[in-house]
């Protein structure tokens, strides 16, 4: 199903490429030993290098190189054994060096692929490159009516800029791409993916063209979008804006635009710079990075199981549906939670409980899986007790409620509250006999062919047993006794 914007002059297709800035998980910055922790008091994590004091020299942090290589491998990408840091020159108050150390001609990672699970099938999106660079500081405009303050804590933090090819064709695909990329980074442990804290930020390059056109038209770039929802909304708006302009005989100018979530619109920020405006040149303070193949192979050997492989395994080994598997692998912590519950119970039932019952509670209380009020082991035990018929699915919901509110082990809750399922044939038969004796009218109706009355009997049985009678046995034994 393709995403098309209808216009009077034809059907318009949207072409999107994304540049994602992902903060590398590392205790120290890219070229200094200053800390990177989020939320520290302003300017408390700034070394002389980060403040660009005269004469300071950058020293590369090896962990950041490892993380970039690990990410490249996770994106099925080519690792360049030689890469070069260059200076990208521009002035901005939060950039004390007057240039950003980045990579340009020779990035550390080349072409790769990310596969999206779209409802209409898998879509392969090309990665053009991944390069390392420093983050800038932050201008604070909201501290004083007349002054702007500068916080350099972020100055020099290591970023990976991951650039996709213009392969995305709809806001939905762009949203999926970010979610998938974020999942991969989190599996790899190379970026925490926290968009609210700015550790994952997205720039979207958007253009439109008449369906069937081969050449790309002029694009605009929407800067620094900090949520998946906003990325999708910004692209949608920008594409419609461009179509309207073309439909009215206008043309698009290449520029950088800003998405205003409050007004739900994009507006012009500045005319787009070309690479040559930045006067890139190799940083004379830093040698090219030259890696051994062995260094790369060692990292490759420690890669974790990634989302696509995990998904196939959940489908093949656990018999999950593709939809359930997709949901469960979307986040590494969810996948781990599910798996530790599944291996001690029954995987398909465990998937149902995680996706339906547990997610409902987490959504209700605004919790992440890490803050789940029920542990994976206890959820697995509960599912196991349903699977082995100790309790019914209905009683399990009551037990689950108690586990959430009071905590505890499901088996002891069931024991304490006497919730164990009644599976004793003679006990159930006895209850049915009593019911039939007490309700001759309904019994008569059933025997005269009104078999719907059976449902009423089941309901009575469940009430009489406080929901504890095994529903399957009740059904079977009722049928036998009534006829
Ligand atoms: Mn960048």
């Amino acid at each position: 199903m393709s995403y098309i914007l209808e216009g009077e002059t034809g059907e318009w297709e949207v072409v999107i490429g994304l540049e994602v800035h992902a903060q590398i998980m590392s205790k120290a910055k890219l070229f200094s030993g200053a800390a990177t922790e989020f939320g520290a008091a302003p300017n408390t994590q700034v070394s002389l290098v980060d403040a660009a004091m005269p004469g300071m020299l950058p020293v590369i942090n090896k962990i950041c190189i490892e993380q970039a290589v690990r990410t490249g491998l996770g994106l099925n990408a080519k690792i360049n054994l030689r890469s070069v840091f260059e200076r990208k020159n521009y002035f901005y108050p939060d950039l004390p060096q007057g240039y950003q150390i980045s990579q340009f001609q020779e990035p550390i990672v080349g072409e790769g692929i990310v596969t999206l699970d779209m409802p209409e099938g898998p879509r392969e999106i090309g990665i053009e490159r991944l390069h390392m660079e420093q983050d800038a500081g932050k201008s604070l405009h909201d501290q004083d009516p007349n002054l702007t303050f500068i916080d350099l804590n972020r100055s020099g933090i290591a970023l990976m800029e991951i650039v996709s090819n213009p392969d995305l064709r709809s806001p939905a695909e762009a949203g999926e791409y970010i979610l998938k990329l974020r999942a991969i980074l989190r599996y790899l442990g190379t970026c925490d993916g926290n968009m609210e804290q700015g550790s994952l930020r997205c720039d979207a390059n958007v253009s439109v063209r008449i369906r069937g056109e081969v050449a790309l038209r002029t694009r605009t770039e929407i800067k620094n979008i900090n949520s998946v929802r906003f990325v999708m909304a910004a692209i949608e708006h920008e594409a419609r804006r461009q179509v309207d302009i073309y439909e009215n005989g206008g043309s698009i100018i290449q520029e950088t635009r800003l998405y205003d979530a409050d007004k739900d619109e994009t507006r012009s920020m500045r005319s787009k710079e070309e690479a040559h405006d930045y006067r890139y040149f190799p940083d004379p303070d830093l040698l090219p990075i030259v890696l051994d193949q062995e260094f790369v192979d060692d990292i490759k050997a420690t890669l974790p199981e990634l989302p696509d492989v995990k998904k196939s395994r959940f489908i093949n080994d656990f018999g999950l549906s593709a939809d359930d598997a997709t949901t469960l692998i979307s986040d590494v912590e969810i996948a781990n939670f599910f798996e530790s519950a599944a291996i001690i119970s029954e995987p398909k039932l465990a998937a149902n409980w995680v996706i339906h019952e547990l997610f409902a509670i987490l959504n209700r209380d605004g919790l992440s899986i890490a803050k789940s009020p029920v542990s994976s082991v206890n959820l697995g035990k509960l599912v196991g007790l349903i699977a082995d018929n100790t309790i019914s699915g209905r009683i399990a919901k009551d037990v689950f409620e108690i586990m959430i509110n009071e905590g505890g082990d499901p088996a002891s809750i069931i024991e304490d509250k006497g919730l164990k399922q009644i599976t004793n044939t003679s006990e159930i038969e006895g209850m049915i006999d009593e019911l039939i004796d007490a309700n001759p009218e309904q019994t008569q109706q059933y025997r005269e062919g009104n078999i719907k009355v059976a449902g009423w009997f089941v309901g009575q049985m469940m009430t009489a047993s406080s929901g504890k009678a095994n529903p399957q046995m009740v059904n079977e034994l009722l049928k036998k006794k009534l006829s």
Side-chain angles (χ1 to χ4, degrees):
M1 206 186 68
S2 54
Y3 177 83
I4 290 295
L5 298 171
E6 300 285 344
E8 292 197 351
T9 62
E11 295 186 319
W12 296 88
E13 173 182 66
V14 54
V15 178
I16 307 150
L18 297 181
E19 294 168 18
V20 169
H21 283 93
Q23 184 179 322
I24 293 179
M25 278 170 76
S26 158
K27 290 198 168 79
K29 295 184 179 180
L30 184 54
F31 300 115
S32 86
T36 59
E37 216 168 296
F38 180 81
N43 298 308
T44 54
Q45 298 177 164
V46 187
S47 77
L48 296 171
V49 173
D50 309 322
M53 290 297 152
M56 292 301 113
L57 288 172
V59 177
I60 184 78
N61 175 350
K62 188 179 172 192
I63 297 288
C64 296
I65 296 177
E66 282 176 16
Q67 293 285 57
V69 169
R70 181 181 299 277
T71 305
L73 294 169
L75 299 175
N76 310 296
K78 179 172 184 290
I79 306 301
N80 296 322
L81 296 181
R82 181 194 144 95
S83 65
V84 174
F85 281 112
E86 302 200 32
R87 291 187 180 178
K88 180 182 183 180
N89 298 281
Y90 68 96
F91 171 79
Y92 208 72
D94 61 21
L95 187 75
Q97 284 171 160
Y99 57 85
Q100 175 191 35
I101 304 178
S102 181
Q103 296 186 308
F104 181 55
Q105 306 264 22
E106 298 181 66
I108 189 160
V109 175
E111 293 186 338
I113 284 174
V114 170
T115 305
L116 309 185
D117 294 302
M118 300 309 292
E120 54 276 15
R123 277 267 289 140
E124 288 196 343
I125 305 303
I127 299 292
E128 183 196 307
R129 59 189 274 149
L130 175 158
H131 66 253
M132 284 187 283
E133 62 186 26
Q134 309 171 291
D135 207 347
K138 209 162 143 187
S139 300
L140 308 172
H141 303 292
D142 55 1
Q143 309 288 306
D144 184 284
N146 301 311
L147 299 171
T148 290
F149 293 96
I150 306 284
D151 176 8
L152 292 180
N153 280 355
R154 220 175 56 184
S155 170
I157 283 185
L159 301 177
M160 298 179 279
E161 180 172 334
I162 303 165
V163 182
S164 87
N165 287 330
D167 290 347
L168 299 157
R169 290 290 175 276
S170 67
E173 284 189 356
E176 268 307 304
Y177 171 82
I178 297 172
L179 290 172
K180 188 61 177 284
L181 187 60
R182 185 172 68 170
I184 293 170
L185 297 172
R186 293 187 45 158
Y187 271 68
L188 292 166
T190 57
C191 170
D192 67 22
N194 194 329
M195 295 188 85
E196 305 87 73
Q197 296 182 357
S199 30
L200 197 78
R201 315 193 282 270
C202 183
D203 303 339
N205 289 296
V206 180
S207 65
V208 297
R209 63 182 173 189
I210 293 278
R211 188 137 82 136
E213 256 176 34
V214 179
L216 296 174
R217 296 196 183 197
T218 306
R219 63 187 158 88
T220 59
E221 181 178 18
I222 314 164
K223 273 280 179 208
N224 270 332
I225 325 172
N226 64 358
S227 86
V228 174
R229 194 161 57 86
F230 289 167
V231 168
M232 294 168 67
I235 291 169
E236 174 133 26
H237 268 261
E238 180 54 18
R240 287 199 183 278
R241 188 188 71 88
Q242 292 185 14
V243 167
D244 284 348
I245 289 173
Y246 284 129
E247 290 274 324
N248 289 305
S251 57
I252 300 297
I253 27 175
Q254 185 171 334
E255 62 182 354
T256 300
R257 299 180 69 84
L258 210 68
Y259 177 66
D260 182 334
D262 293 331
K263 295 196 180 127
D264 197 15
E265 63 176 26
T266 65
R267 60 171 177 268
S268 183
M269 198 162 102
R270 56 172 190 252
S271 67
K272 169 73 183 167
E273 300 80 3
E274 299 287 345
H276 63 248
D277 293 322
Y278 290 113
R279 295 292 189 268
Y280 279 99
F281 66 90
D283 192 310
D285 290 339
L286 289 157
L287 290 168
I289 303 173
V290 178
L291 307 175
D292 298 336
Q293 187 57 46
E294 202 189 340
F295 174 83
V296 177
D297 293 343
D298 285 351
I299 294 173
K300 196 171 196 167
T302 66
L303 287 189
E305 181 181 50
L306 290 168
D308 294 335
V309 176
K310 202 181 279 292
K311 180 180 166 182
S312 310
R313 186 167 62 80
F314 281 4
I315 292 172
N316 297 328
D317 293 4
F318 288 157
L320 301 192
S321 69
D323 278 355
D324 284 358
T326 302
T327 305
L328 292 169
I329 58 106
S330 66
D331 180 281
V332 64
E333 288 185 48
I334 292 171
N336 291 342
F337 187 103
F338 158 72
E339 192 160 5
S340 81
I343 53 172
I344 56 168
S345 60
E346 202 285 307
K348 279 175 89 163
L349 196 54
N352 269 331
W353 271 77
V354 171
I355 293 171
H356 299 291
E357 310 302 330
L358 182 65
F359 281 6
I361 297 298
L362 297 180
N363 285 338
R364 185 193 72 189
D365 298 342
L367 299 172
S368 68
I369 191 93
K371 296 272 161 63
S372 168
V374 174
S375 71
S376 57
V377 170
N378 276 343
L379 187 70
K381 285 183 184 168
L382 179 68
V383 171
L385 293 164
I386 306 168
D388 72 8
N389 274 327
T390 305
I391 51 170
S392 68
R394 210 197 63 70
I395 290 288
K397 290 189 184 182
D398 296 341
V399 178
F400 186 60
E401 192 67 34
I402 297 169
M403 289 164 70
I404 286 160
N405 296 326
E406 300 161 26
D409 172 76
S412 10
I413 293 171
I414 292 162
E415 194 62 46
D416 290 353
K417 313 248 172 193
L419 295 173
K420 218 166 168 179
Q421 185 159 236
I422 303 167
T423 50
N424 179 316
T425 311
S426 55
E427 194 175 342
I428 294 177
E429 278 180 334
M431 294 170 81
I432 291 174
D433 287 339
E434 273 178 41
L435 204 56
I436 289 176
D437 286 347
N439 299 283
E441 203 177 305
Q442 281 81 355
T443 308
Q444 183 66 16
Q445 282 175 13
Y446 183 90
R447 287 178 177 155
E448 283 167 2
N450 186 3
I451 52 166
K452 280 189 201 152
V453 184
W456 179 84
F457 275 105
V458 172
Q460 294 298 306
M461 275 296 291
M462 291 326 259
T463 310
S465 69
S466 312
K468 288 186 290 183
N470 178 298
Q472 206 182 332
M473 294 177 69
V474 168
N475 272 313
E476 278 165 21
L477 294 171
L478 255 175
K479 231 177 260 173
K480 205 172 88 187
K481 292 260 173 192
L482 281 170
S483 37

